[in-house]
Amino acid sequence: WLGIKRSPEELKKRIRARLLKRLPGIIREVKKLHAGGLSWKRLYELGLEYRYVSLYLRGKISHLQLTNQLTSQSWKYAKRQMTWFKKNKEIRWISSNKEALRRAPISIKGGK
């Protein structure tokens, strides 16, 4: 088991960048699901992204609040994941993708 350790600041930046990249698609998906018959209540229950996007699409929060709240909640979730991963003593924490490749080289034979 290899885990790539990131500083909290870097992890927060990566979470926000990933969110901003994915957000337009998530908004389209939630609109489509609602138009297809899924209620706002059910969308709210499906999880973080669906919850906050459904609030945004109903005008209950602004786009800025949407991105800030999703970033904050995603960061809290990442912290809970790290706490859970710490229980696994088999994980070898490393600092970079490059180090991961050195420790576990991937063999590509026969097009696999």
Side-chain angles (χ1 to χ4, degrees):
W1 296 65
L2 292 177
I4 299 176
K5 186 91 169 164
R6 306 274 186 209
S7 71
E9 296 77 25
E10 182 182 357
L11 191 53
K12 284 178 186 178
K13 274 201 261 185
R14 292 172 70 95
I15 287 169
R16 186 162 183 86
R18 180 175 179 265
L19 171 67
L20 293 175
K21 184 177 180 181
R22 294 179 56 238
L23 198 53
I26 297 167
I27 291 170
R28 281 192 305 274
E29 180 182 358
V30 172
K31 283 180 181 177
K32 185 177 177 181
L33 289 169
H34 182 66
L38 215 53
S39 71
W40 290 122
K41 181 178 187 257
R42 181 64 183 128
L43 285 163
Y44 186 88
E45 296 169 344
L46 288 177
L48 280 179
E49 293 166 341
Y50 294 96
R51 176 177 302 140
Y52 287 102
V53 170
S54 72
L55 292 172
Y56 166 69
L57 290 174
R58 289 184 284 162
K60 295 185 182 250
I61 61 174
S62 68
H63 194 274
L64 180 61
Q65 288 171 313
L66 167 67
T67 56
N68 288 343
Q69 289 179 9
L70 263 178
T71 300
S72 173
Q73 293 301 317
S74 296
W75 167 242
K76 289 177 184 178
Y77 184 72
K79 287 193 317 185
R80 287 192 304 273
Q81 286 178 317
M82 291 305 297
T83 299
W84 187 82
F85 283 129
K86 285 179 185 177
K87 295 175 187 174
N88 184 340
K89 300 303 177 194
E90 293 183 43
I91 297 175
R92 297 295 169 248
W93 293 101
I94 56 178
S95 60
S96 69
N97 295 354
K98 192 175 182 179
E99 186 179 349
L101 291 174
R102 268 197 333 268
R103 288 186 179 229
I106 299 170
S107 173
I108 302 176
K109 294 181 182 177
K112 294 182 182 178

